[in-house]
Amino acid sequence: MASNIKNVLVVGAGGRLGPTILSALSTEPSFALSVLARHSSISHFPPGIADHRTGDDYPEPDLLTAFKGQDAVISTVASESVTTQKKLIDAAVKAGVTRFVSSEFGGDIGNQKAVEVLPQYFGVKKDIIDYLKGNEKEGLSWTTFVTGWFFDLSLKLGYMGLNVKEHKARILNNGTDRFSTTTLSTVGLAVKNALLHPQKTANKSMYIHSFTVSPKQVLAALEKATGDKWNVTYVDAEEQKKAGLERMSKGEWNAGRPLLLQYICTVAGYGGDHAEHRMTANDLLELPKENMEEVVANVVKGMKEG
């Protein structure tokens, strides 16, 4: 395992998370950065960052060319794409990469109850970590991140049952169960700092968070920031879980997954509040202390101006 990481490549740097990670890495002068994007991608990257291209199915020759000489590869591709992730891992091993950061950003994969509710999501993520562990003997170390929802991005996109544009909220039960969540910028900083501490972050899942709050606390902050009383619907959590499972059984992934993710993340017992039950890496990774109300106010302001 390399004691220092210099050459870093980001796969999927044009997606929702990739640009934030790339931006954070760009602030570290000791890193030489590259990206790998598909030929069909229309993303453009800052000057000074090597831009490698690959076929849409990530053929091995393209991966080996891009991975040659890299110390670390960071994957931000869709984590449900188990075939793609394994292709990237296999190519990293063949190319001599020493650290792989897999695209497991999200909920607590170590919570078996969450895996059982949504195996198509959490089960696949767990499979990737097991695959990485199996490749440790080949000289590939790994790091993953448990972040919870990307808080600011989720607000902008209307996840978590909170619709900022329409001032509507869908809250499970009474909305007092707490969940751990991380802002995009803090996720990026965590990845950068993990690579700066390769020995301490090798072969570990790093549990991080910006804060741990309840849906009702977030709702109160949103009402304060918008200056409006929101239209709130309280939903029985078990009924939502049942509806989500029914949608998934019919193959309606896009309809069922959000229902189940909200359930897993905001109902106690499914790992959504990981920062209250796991040893977090916030101090090791030198992550800032953040204020939820301030983040909410900035998101609302940005949406109004944008």
Side-chain angles (χ1 to χ4, degrees):
M1 184 192 311
S3 58
N4 293 302
I5 291 174
K6 177 182 177 182
N7 298 318
V8 182
L9 181 142
V10 181
V11 183
R16 286 175 174 166
L17 176 61
T20 298
I21 291 178
L22 190 62
S23 177
L25 294 172
S26 297
T27 66
E28 175 51 51
S30 67
F31 291 151
L33 301 179
S34 304
V35 297
L36 177 65
R38 293 173 296 179
H39 288 302
S40 60
S41 172
I42 60 173
S43 298
H44 297 282
F45 303 101
I49 296 178
D51 184 356
H52 299 278
R53 294 285 164 162
T54 178
D56 285 3
D57 59 346
Y58 293 95
E60 185 177 83
D62 290 353
L63 297 180
L64 292 177
T65 297
F67 290 2
K68 184 179 180 180
Q70 301 295 339
D71 300 313
V73 169
I74 301 168
S75 170
T76 63
V77 301
S79 57
E80 307 90 88
S81 181
V82 64
T83 302
T84 298
Q85 287 256 62
K86 288 184 176 180
K87 278 186 178 181
L88 297 176
I89 294 167
D90 290 343
V93 170
K94 289 185 178 182
V97 174
T98 57
R99 176 61 54 89
F100 191 92
V101 176
S102 64
S103 186
E104 312 313 312
F105 306 93
D108 186 0
I109 307 161
N111 187 291
Q112 186 57 34
K113 290 175 67 176
V115 174
E116 291 171 359
V117 171
L118 194 52
Q120 303 93 330
Y121 184 76
F122 287 89
V124 167
K125 286 172 174 281
K126 185 176 183 300
D127 183 31
I128 293 299
I129 292 179
D130 290 341
Y131 196 71
L132 285 165
K133 290 178 178 178
N135 278 285
E136 289 176 18
K137 62 182 182 295
E138 304 298 332
L140 182 68
S141 64
W142 55 272
T143 307
T144 65
F145 293 86
V146 177
T147 63
W149 267 317
F150 303 145
F151 185 74
D152 43 349
L153 178 64
S154 295
L155 287 179
K156 293 174 184 177
L157 298 179
Y159 295 166
M160 300 189 291
L162 301 167
N163 188 323
V164 178
K165 292 181 179 179
E166 298 182 7
H167 296 186
K168 293 181 179 179
R170 179 185 177 88
I171 290 178
L172 302 188
N173 295 335
N174 60 9
T176 58
D177 287 346
R178 289 156 59 82
F179 64 95
S180 303
T181 180
T182 313
T183 60
L184 278 177
S185 61
T186 294
V187 174
L189 179 62
V191 173
K192 183 195 82 169
N193 288 350
L195 296 185
L196 293 173
H197 298 283
Q199 302 291 346
K200 294 181 179 180
T201 58
N203 304 328
K204 293 179 181 178
S205 292
M206 314 302 292
Y207 288 82
I208 64 172
H209 69 124
S210 294
F211 30 73
T212 297
V213 293
S214 71
K216 287 194 77 171
Q217 288 175 313
V218 179
L219 173 63
L222 283 165
E223 290 185 332
K224 178 180 179 181
T226 58
D228 188 22
K229 190 71 175 176
W230 281 34
N231 183 353
V232 183
T233 301
Y234 290 93
V235 180
D236 180 270
E238 296 307 313
E239 288 299 317
Q240 174 150 319
K241 175 185 174 183
K242 180 180 178 182
L245 291 173
E246 287 178 355
R247 292 291 186 90
M248 294 297 290
S249 69
K250 296 176 182 177
E252 299 173 4
W253 169 264
N254 290 333
R257 186 180 74 156
L259 297 177
L260 294 178
L261 283 177
Q262 185 184 11
Y263 177 90
I264 289 168
C265 290
T266 61
V267 174
Y270 293 84
D273 55 346
H274 62 260
E276 297 190 342
H277 302 284
R278 303 280 193 177
M279 181 177 294
T280 70
N282 279 39
D283 289 341
L284 170 64
L285 300 178
E286 302 173 60
L287 302 182
K289 296 186 182 299
E290 297 176 81
N291 180 282
M292 182 268 291
E293 288 193 353
E294 291 179 0
V295 175
V296 167
N298 287 332
V299 169
V300 170
K301 180 181 178 182
M303 292 181 69
K304 286 180 179 179
E305 295 174 349

